[in-house]
Amino acid sequence: MKIRQITGARCTLCGHVTEATPDITVCPECGGILDIEYDYDYIRSKLTKYELMDRTESTMWRYMEFLPVEGIGRTPRLRVGNSPLYSAGRLAEAIGLTGPMWIKDDGQNPTASLKDRASAMAVVKAEEAGKHIIACSSTGNAASSLAGNAAAAGMRTFIFVPSRAPKGKVAQLQMFGAKVILVDGSYEDTFRLSAEAIDHFGWYNRNAAINPYLMEGKKTVSLEIAEQLHFKVPDYVAVSVGDGCTIAGVWKGFKDLYAAGFISRLPRLISVQASGCCPINAAAYIHTMDWKPQEENTLADSIAVGVPRNPVKALKAIEESEGVIVNVSDEEILAAMRLLGRTQGIFAEPAGATGTAGLKKALEEGLIEKSASVVSIVTGNGLKDVANAIKATGEPVLLPPDMGKLLEALSKH
Ligand SMILES: *Cc1c(COP(=O)(O)O)cnc(C)c1O
Ligand SMILES: [Zn+2]
């Protein structure tokens, strides 16, 4: 099937262009990560932003002309995308931002993370490729979102996750009927085992970066942000970074809109990693593509990625956007979780709050102006990782059913 708006898949390392078949993975010439390319004149001729705003389809598929698909059929699907963009005045005030701030709460997706955008795309491309089994390795959310989106389409999944994955995410996998392989090792070990198995069994590959369509799904978060802001682009977009696919997708979404003439400028990205695991930021900081592996020392499991799978696209996105680079400690991540909860009523998992932690720190360190307009993306919901939520808040008081004891306890506050 030829998809009219796509011109091909270009290698991010050697520039070689291949045909964008549904099951392409890496560059056949050099093994580099591929990037799907579009015919923006064609997109412009098919869709204006006014036509887009009139659409009734509210999921990520409303941006069909910007996506590598021809139609998604009539199978019932989960409602992926269309997550709320909340004005976040109280949070802005708490962190000393005088300009407008918004939270894009992508924890509101069906399986509760931004990864649903990529997994919904993976399922459609697997169907196009005629495959019935999809596999991936993941720090957790790519897995649970794949399992959920595949279940909704009647497909089977094989999932490899490191044994450190929080219980909530593993429970999701089990509930969605995935075949779960918990790997007693790091994310890197997990990834290697899954790659071998995928090769061996010929499953459809939903591994981060290896499958170039995933980022095309993820970029819909930016298409939505822009549309929700009536195509007025914020000065900054803050996002947490692990493998690098999310930040690269965020950037591509804005670049696509810019190339199609829907927006007139681009935002700067705030790339946030955990100080205990920040290989992409470490390389970005010295403007090199030559990143070095790191240990995975952070409680933010979704971004504990010592060997990132998409460093080139992520580093290019940071460089091109004149990105701001911030690393945050686990304590700063836990503090941002409390802030999101207490000022805005938003419950984020650690990696979900990391973008906001980075925004706060960027303000404190004078890396961005206090009057800037900022969108911070919350990438995952806190119910996935209750243990770290309780770590952030502490346990509540426990009392016998006795009024005297209640008064005593309350007087201490
Ligand atoms: C995957 C994930 C990220 C980071 O995305 P990458 O593509 O790995 O950089 C951030 N937050 C959450 C909640 C995630 O699941
Ligand atoms: Zn190549």
Side-chain angles (χ1 to χ4, degrees):
M1 179 171 41
K2 181 99 183 83
I3 296 167
R4 181 56 186 86
Q5 61 268 28
I6 300 182
T7 56
R10 184 183 298 274
C11 175
T12 50
L13 290 184
C14 75
H16 176 77
V17 179
T18 21
E19 193 193 335
T21 54
D23 54 357
I24 39 167
T25 54
V26 291
C27 173
E29 298 291 321
C30 78
I33 303 295
L34 297 173
D35 185 40
I36 305 296
E37 291 191 326
Y38 293 82
D39 177 348
Y40 293 106
D41 289 333
Y42 177 75
I43 294 175
R44 266 176 201 257
S45 76
K46 282 289 169 194
L47 184 69
T48 68
K49 60 182 169 189
Y50 305 102
E51 283 165 352
L52 175 61
M53 288 188 282
D54 278 344
R55 280 211 171 141
T56 52
E57 170 63 61
S58 64
T59 70
M60 63 182 264
W61 304 108
R62 80 190 257 107
Y63 304 103
M64 193 70 85
E65 288 79 357
F66 286 95
L67 298 176
V69 289
E70 203 63 90
I72 53 158
R74 272 167 289 129
T75 333
R77 301 290 159 144
L78 299 176
R79 187 275 304 150
V80 178
N82 191 21
S83 64
L85 183 76
Y86 294 124
S87 177
R90 270 180 307 283
L91 179 48
E93 199 183 324
I95 62 176
L97 183 70
T98 59
M101 174 176 180
W102 297 269
I103 301 284
K104 178 69 168 165
D105 188 7
D106 246 45
Q108 297 292 323
N109 276 303
T111 78
S113 82
L114 187 146
K115 297 283 196 305
D116 277 335
R117 298 176 185 274
S119 291
M121 179 65 74
V123 167
V124 170
K125 299 310 280 186
E127 284 172 326
E128 279 180 22
K131 304 256 180 156
H132 304 287
I133 300 178
I134 314 181
C136 84
S137 69
S138 160
T139 53
N141 286 330
S144 53
S145 72
L146 176 64
N149 281 275
M155 284 187 160
R156 290 176 57 209
T157 46
F158 280 82
I159 306 282
F160 298 75
V161 276
S163 53
R164 66 149 197 256
K167 278 236 157 53
K169 299 180 185 181
V170 178
Q172 284 184 297
L173 294 175
Q174 299 282 86
M175 194 54 76
F176 295 138
K179 183 83 198 143
V180 183
I181 295 106
L182 276 187
V183 180
D184 187 11
S186 67
Y187 172 51
E188 165 66 4
D189 299 329
T190 309
F191 191 95
R192 265 193 284 110
L193 180 61
S194 77
E196 256 181 68
I198 288 167
D199 240 21
H200 184 82
F201 292 105
W203 299 325
Y204 190 77
N205 190 341
R206 187 252 180 259
N207 273 343
I210 299 298
N211 181 329
Y213 294 113
L214 302 176
M215 216 185 82
E216 302 304 310
K218 285 188 170 182
K219 79 183 179 188
T220 58
V221 72
S222 299
L223 305 183
E224 275 176 22
I225 290 171
E227 194 184 2
Q228 286 168 319
L229 292 175
H230 308 285
F231 299 100
K232 256 192 84 195
V233 174
D235 296 325
Y236 297 92
V237 176
V239 62
S240 57
V241 177
D243 270 314
C245 303
T246 304
I247 194 168
V250 166
W251 183 234
K252 185 153 189 194
F254 285 111
K255 280 211 308 186
D256 277 358
L257 290 174
Y258 187 76
F262 283 42
I263 56 175
S264 54
R265 65 175 191 133
L266 292 163
R268 289 178 68 190
L269 300 175
I270 304 177
S271 168
V272 192
Q273 292 205 286
S275 355
C277 189
C278 55
I280 289 184
N281 274 356
Y285 194 71
I286 52 168
H287 301 278
T288 176
M289 291 279 157
D290 188 20
W291 59 278
K292 302 274 186 301
Q294 289 193 5
E295 307 255 299
E296 297 172 353
N297 287 329
T298 171
L299 56 73
D301 65 291
S302 301
I303 53 167
V305 180
V307 181
R309 294 293 148 190
N310 212 347
V312 173
K313 275 191 198 172
L315 287 165
K316 280 186 180 170
I318 297 168
E319 188 79 26
E320 281 176 31
S321 83
E322 294 170 47
V324 177
I325 300 149
V326 196
N327 296 326
V328 290
S329 67
D330 282 357
E331 285 64 41
E332 288 167 320
I333 293 171
L334 295 173
M337 287 167 69
R338 289 192 297 270
L339 258 180
L340 278 162
R342 287 164 192 190
T343 62
Q344 299 294 147
I346 293 171
F347 191 6
E349 67 159 274
T354 298
T356 304
L359 167 61
K360 179 169 184 279
K361 191 155 181 184
L363 282 162
E364 284 163 5
E365 298 194 341
L367 299 174
I368 72 170
E369 321 77 64
K370 290 194 176 348
S371 59
S373 57
V374 187
V375 171
S376 183
I377 303 177
V378 167
T379 46
N381 189 282
L383 283 174
K384 285 169 172 282
D385 185 357
V386 173
N388 275 317
I390 295 291
K391 193 166 185 176
T393 59
E395 298 279 353
V397 286
L398 178 66
L399 289 180
D402 179 292
M403 189 61 188
K405 289 277 193 300
L406 173 63
L407 291 176
E408 198 181 302
L410 291 182
S411 69
K412 287 188 196 137
H413 279 276

